[in-house]
Amino acid sequence: MHDFDANPEPVLYTDGLNLLTDDERIVGLAHLTLMPILQTLQDNPFNARAIAELREYLGFQADEALDAFTRLCELGPLHLSNRLAELNAEDEEEG
């Protein structure tokens, strides 16, 4: 079951610099927030705490995540592919 008290904040830092753009961070956080809630609801559709978390997310953060996702999509697949390659290269340099 999902640990609702865990901090889902995604972190990708190099030399103290955040490599993610604001929109990338928002979309990543949306994914990290929603996936455990949806998994919990899939396993137990009547989980009151998961329903409350989903309702809260949809009421406050979903619009911001949708806007960020839309802006990222507008950049186009080539840009997104290049960004993923750039982030993977940064990750491999640290590893």
Side-chain angles (χ1 to χ4, degrees), residues 5-43:
D5 297 321
N7 183 2
E9 186 73 31
V11 179
L12 185 57
Y13 291 98
T14 298
D15 297 327
L17 300 174
N18 187 348
L19 298 178
L20 299 177
T21 66
D22 286 343
D23 286 342
E24 292 166 346
R25 184 188 55 76
I26 290 168
V27 170
L29 183 58
H31 175 78
L32 290 175
T33 300
L34 282 176
M35 291 311 297
I37 294 171
L38 295 176
Q39 181 63 47
T40 298
L41 289 172
Q42 182 177 1
D43 296 341

Side-chain angles (χ1 to χ4, degrees), residues 5 27 42 50 56 58 60-61 65 69 72 77 81 85-86 93:
D5 297 321
V27 170
Q42 182 177 1
E56 180 180 331
L58 292 174
F60 299 105
Q61 298 169 324
F69 181 77
L72 287 174
S81 177
E86 180 183 328
E93 287 176 11

